[in-house]
Amino acid sequence: MTAADLTVRSIEVWLREENDQRLNELWSAADEARRQHVGDEVHLRGLVEISNHCARHCLYCGLRADNRSLKRYRMTADEILSCATEAHRLGYGTLVMQSGEDYGLCAQWLAQVIRRVKSETPLAVTLSLGERPTEDLALWREAGADRYLLRFETSDRELYERIHPPRGGLLSDRLAMLPALRELGYEVGSGVMVGIPGQSYASLARDIELFRTMDLDMIGCGPYIPHPDTPLGRLAAESSAPGADQVPGTELMAYKVIALTRLVRPDANIPATTALAVLNPDEGRRLGLTRGANVIMPNLTPAKYRVHYEIYPGKPCHTETAEEVTRTLTELIASLGRTTGRGPGARTHGPRGITSPVR
Ligand code: 5AD
């Protein structure tokens, strides 16, 4: 099987495939494409969840503004800097700063944090801070941020609008923001959730086909996990059996999406996501890595904050130190005959790697 064989129709057929032997063909094809196009290096990106405040009301996410049962926090600049130093000490090449869409994170303040990370460490800086205004995104790029992650979640406009209400009457168009981020000089990452209530097989197949045509450096797709303090989570608890067109948010479906994404975008960076590791703590990451993924994002958020960054329930709250987690992952990577990447791990086969901000 090659990428050229995959049409929206055949992607949908693969998404519905249940036969183990056929699925083994899919895993092998994805693993081979991964090996040929991005090689055996697995990149570790240190994730720091810098704030769990959020101005949005997304129906699926536990950080939504009106979830009153969540204790809110914002990390200080010094706390973020010590996570960055830790990431560098552990041998990571990238720091990913993620938060809810938090306008309490003042753009100038964050620009200063980015400047400090860039001057005090050699790390690449990735931001994942939601749909901020273009001026903020430009300011952060100017301050030295290298990449921006913004999942479009689903390309089905109607479903997107249903689960992702606009903020203050402003149109939310993440698909339009991605080229704008590229224009600003960011390396751009996006992706979707797998198994959103109302997501059909045909719609997920179109998402994957869309990846082929988009200039994305990173594509992250993880299973949707219901959160009891969200409208969609409450709906899941009430509703009866889903229809035949509904994509299930299962571990198996997430692997199929990773593998098919690798086939349509063989040169992309594709993570074995945390949500996958939540569904299968023992094997999720290993299976992700052997079915198309080449990136892992270990969580470096201080434990006292991490418990409150509850996008979905069941996130691992390791009692191990970051050092132990890193050792375990390095061993896992070595056991697969792969190597742990050093340095930022920009996409090397694509049209561009990390560049300096345009001044
Ligand atoms: N289950 C799985 N993933 C989720 N995300 C948000 N809420 C959930 C959920 N309930 C994902 C979205 C978002 C990313 C940061 O986390 O895709 O872009």
Side-chain angles (χ1 to χ4, degrees), residues 42-250:
V42 176
H43 304 288
L44 301 181
R45 323 269 206 221
L47 175 67
V48 185
E49 295 152 333
I50 64 173
S51 156
N52 71 349
H53 289 263
C54 190
R56 306 301 293 257
H57 296 85
C58 304
L59 271 60
Y60 48 86
C61 181
L63 303 192
R64 64 201 310 273
D66 42 9
N67 179 6
R68 307 267 173 243
S69 55
L70 193 66
K71 185 174 176 306
R72 305 282 172 169
Y73 72 86
R74 263 181 213 114
M75 287 175 64
T76 67
D78 285 344
E79 286 171 331
I80 298 171
L81 257 295
S82 62
C83 290
T85 314
E86 170 92 336
H88 176 47
R89 193 179 59 79
L90 293 169
Y92 299 1
T94 301
L95 184 75
V96 183
M97 292 192 243
Q98 191 179 82
S99 72
E101 202 167 300
D102 177 13
Y103 293 90
L105 287 180
C106 146
Q108 291 288 354
W109 176 85
L110 195 77
Q112 192 52 34
V113 174
I114 295 166
R115 273 186 221 107
R116 280 184 64 192
V117 175
K118 294 300 286 188
S119 68
E120 294 173 29
T121 75
L123 296 168
V125 168
T126 301
L127 304 178
S128 176
L129 309 171
E131 297 164 51
R132 299 281 300 227
T134 311
E135 309 85 81
D136 297 1
L137 302 169
L139 181 73
W140 298 333
R141 174 73 186 133
E142 188 72 20
D146 302 285
R147 311 185 177 121
Y148 205 94
L149 304 181
L150 185 71
R151 289 189 182 171
F152 62 81
E153 316 292 4
T154 169
S155 62
D156 176 334
R157 189 78 224 170
E158 202 206 301
L159 176 61
Y160 179 78
E161 282 173 11
R162 191 158 11 111
I163 63 172
H164 195 92
R167 186 178 66 89
L170 297 168
L171 182 75
S172 161
D173 192 347
R174 290 189 171 188
L175 276 172
M177 275 185 72
L178 299 172
L181 285 162
R182 177 67 92 196
E183 284 292 300
L184 290 171
Y186 283 102
E187 275 192 48
V188 180
S190 193
V192 299
M193 280 184 291
V194 177
I196 310 167
Q199 184 181 46
S200 68
Y201 282 92
S203 137
L204 183 57
R206 280 194 296 272
D207 296 344
I208 296 170
E209 178 56 29
L210 196 61
F211 293 150
R212 189 202 299 275
T213 62
M214 294 171 84
D215 190 12
L216 294 174
D217 302 289
M218 169 136 156
I219 306 176
C221 301
Y224 160 73
I225 301 174
H227 188 304
D229 296 323
T230 61
L232 279 188
R234 285 189 283 270
L235 191 77
E238 288 161 18
S239 61
S240 47
D245 271 347
Q246 170 68 50
V247 173
T250 56

